[in-house]
């Protein structure tokens, strides 16, 4: 840059627009911030129209400049969606997107101070800090437990009780040497209940696990630390305890349901819940102690669905096969009256949603657990 030039967002050009949109859509789909981005784009283009009308300008020209020669799409897909600065729940994310959108158009000014992408983001980040404080915890590993043939529980004791809702997740940062391309951050759902003093995460290990998971597995109890931050997620139970629910889990996707069932056990609350838990073998089922206690104490209707050859057909609670349309109809005959919660691998979630679509279950009654990826 020359001495009299200002830094500019090089992606704010018509030539780069297709690349920004295609790449941006992939990012947003990956990290699950679609509603925030849509709210932002609608807000900023409506605001542009309003400000242009007030200033008696040309609306078409203003919209073309906003779409083709401004960094609006780069801001939407890359800057706005940063998990470390944006709020952790959908409702707050919509407000966050709306604030940036309304403040972004260049017509916005206070005396001689005109708006900019950086300034609009700064104001929205202040909002985010107020409504959704980014608490960071440095935690020592207290205990490590094997919960299934391919999964471990990592139990940490925070300095004080952490406030969260059953089913939410946190970002876990574990610096380590020679980290691979997958980095040193992961998003793990809290398998613990808010009623428990410890924080518990269930982690699946693969034959070729990432350097992150190898470092996690090698942590020494009471010595090594990990950083947990930003409680987030909308995969939580409805406030109305009379709503009839179906929990569908695959593999380590049982973790949010462990949190919910343990919470209900600890507060003594009965809810009408059907649990379908799929795995390749009986040895891969995790948290059966909590599930069985919820069956006995709360009346939760739980069925284990085993896709391999180890299913015990003499046990009425174990079924061979996969969670598909026929199985859902069999174990959830009143599926028309229930809200479905799905947690598992991407393919498993897609398959179950397709089965529910075949049963004409409304998308409004389907919630899918989201955090950025099942990473090895």
């Amino acid at each position: 840059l020359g001495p009299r030039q200002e830094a500019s967002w090089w992606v704010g050009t018509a030539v780069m627009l297709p690349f920004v949109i295609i790449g941006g859509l992939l990012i947003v789909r990956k990290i699950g911030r679609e509603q925030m981005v849509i709210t932002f784009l609608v807000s900023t283009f409506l605001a542009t129209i309003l400000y242009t009308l007030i200033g008696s300008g040309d609306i078409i020209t203003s919209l073309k400049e906003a779409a083709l020669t401004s960094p609006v799409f780069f801001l939407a897909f890359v800057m706005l969606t940063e998990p470390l600065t944006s709020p952790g729940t959908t409702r707050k994310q919509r407000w966050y997107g709306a604030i940036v959108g309304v403040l972004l158009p260049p017509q916005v000014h206070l005396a001689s101070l005109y708006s900019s992408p950086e300034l609009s983001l700064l104001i929205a980040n202040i909002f985010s800090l107020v409504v959704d404080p980014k608490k960071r915890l440095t935690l020592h590993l207290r205990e490590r437990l094997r919960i299934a043939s391919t999964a471990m529980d990592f139990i940490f004791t925070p300095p004080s009780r952490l406030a969260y809702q059953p089913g939410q997740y946190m970002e876990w940062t574990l610096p380590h040497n020679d980290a691979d391309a997958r980095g040193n951050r992961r998003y793990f759902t809290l398998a613990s209940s808010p009623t428990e003093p410890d924080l518990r995460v269930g982690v699946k290990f693969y034959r070729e696990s990432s350097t992150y998971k190898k470092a996690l597995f090698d942590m020494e109890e009471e010595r090594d630390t990990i950083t947990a931050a930003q409680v987030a997620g909308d995969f939580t139970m409805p406030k109305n305890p009379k709503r009839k629910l179906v929990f569908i889990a695959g593999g380590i996707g049982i973790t949010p349901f462990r949190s919910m069932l343990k919470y209900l056990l600890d507060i003594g609350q009965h809810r009408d819940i059907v649990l379908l838990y799929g795995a390749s073998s009986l040895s891969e089922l995790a948290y059966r102690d909590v599930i069985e206690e919820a069956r006995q104490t709360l009346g939760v209707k739980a069925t284990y669905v085993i896709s391999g050859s180890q299913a015990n057909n003499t046990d009425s609670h174990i079924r061979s096969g996969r969670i598909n349309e026929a199985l859902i109809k069999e174990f959830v005959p009143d599926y028309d009256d229930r809200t479905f919660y799905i947690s598992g691998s991407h393919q498993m979630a897609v398959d179950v949603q397709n089965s529910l679509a075949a049963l004409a279950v409304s998308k409004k009654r389907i919630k899918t657990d989201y955090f950025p990826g099942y990473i090895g």
Side-chain angles (χ1 to χ4, degrees), residues 22-180:
I22 293 171
L25 289 173
L26 292 175
I27 292 173
V28 172
R29 183 173 181 271
K30 176 69 175 176
I31 63 176
R33 294 290 197 272
E34 295 92 344
Q35 294 194 40
M36 179 171 64
V37 169
I38 292 171
T39 301
F40 161 74
L41 291 174
V42 171
S43 298
T44 196
F45 285 121
L46 287 178
T48 298
I49 293 172
L50 177 62
Y51 299 146
T52 303
L53 285 173
I54 293 174
S56 302
D58 186 280
I59 294 176
I60 301 300
T61 300
S62 295
L63 289 176
K64 285 178 64 176
E65 290 178 351
L68 300 179
T69 62
S70 81
V72 63
F73 288 105
F74 182 80
L75 175 65
F77 295 134
V78 179
M79 305 300 292
L80 187 77
T81 57
E82 168 55 48
L84 289 178
T85 52
S86 59
T89 60
T90 300
R91 183 176 62 85
K92 294 174 182 176
Q93 287 168 6
R94 291 196 198 103
W95 279 106
Y96 182 81
I99 290 171
V100 180
V102 169
L103 295 177
L104 180 63
Q107 296 97 324
V108 178
H109 67 94
L110 180 62
S112 60
L113 178 62
Y114 280 79
S115 182
S116 67
E118 296 83 359
L119 183 59
S120 59
L121 273 176
L122 176 61
I123 294 172
N125 286 343
I126 294 173
F127 162 81
S128 180
L129 284 173
V130 171
V131 301
D132 195 19
K134 304 298 187 293
K135 190 171 186 178
R136 299 178 67 86
L137 303 173
T138 299
L139 305 170
H140 286 85
L141 176 65
R142 183 175 72 79
E143 190 176 4
R144 178 173 44 230
L145 299 173
R146 182 167 293 281
I147 54 173
S149 60
T150 58
M152 302 284 293
D153 242 9
F154 293 83
I155 303 172
F156 305 90
T157 302
S160 59
R161 190 66 66 92
L162 180 68
Y164 61 96
Q165 296 183 63
Q168 291 191 303
Y169 64 86
M170 295 185 73
E171 178 193 76
W172 300 78
T173 303
L174 181 61
H176 57 282
N177 296 327
D178 302 319
D180 60 23

